[in-house]
Amino acid sequence: ETPKSIRTQMRYLEKADVDAAIERVRTLPLAERVRTVKLMWVMALCDGELHPQEEIVIYEMADQLGVDRATVISVQPDF
């Protein structure tokens, strides 16, 4: 088992990495940010099932990336 302090540090680093990635993606043109959201849908649906938490995360990430809800819905693949 990973010691608690290492787990805590990993969570901090992971959040820092996510925050840095969001900032980088946010600077991309809208078409690329929309493509990123579409890829999130594909990853969430790769097991053939959309879990509620996956959907929540996609919408939260899209909000942070400045992609409106109608666009998020329109790029969701049909599975």
Side-chain angles (χ1 to χ4, degrees):
E1 182 178 16
T2 307
K4 183 179 179 182
S5 63
I6 293 173
R7 285 196 310 264
T8 301
Q9 290 174 3
M10 288 172 62
R11 277 196 297 270
Y12 174 77
L13 291 173
E14 289 170 2
K15 177 162 179 13
D17 291 342
V18 169
D19 291 344
I22 289 170
E23 286 304 314
R24 285 184 184 167
V25 174
R26 196 179 284 164
T27 65
L28 294 173
L30 179 60
E32 290 300 313
R33 288 181 277 143
V34 170
R35 184 171 176 253
T36 300
V37 172
K38 187 173 185 176
L39 290 171
M40 286 189 274
W41 282 121
V42 170
M43 287 187 287
L45 292 164
C46 71
D47 63 355
E49 191 175 344
L50 179 62
H51 303 279
Q53 189 61 34
E54 292 171 327
E55 188 171 14
I56 290 168
V57 168
I58 291 170
Y59 280 107
E60 288 176 356
M61 294 293 294
D63 288 344
Q64 291 184 35
L65 296 176
V67 178
D68 65 86
R69 294 288 171 108
T71 301
V72 174
I73 292 167
S74 74
V75 298
Q76 181 178 2
D78 294 325
F79 279 88

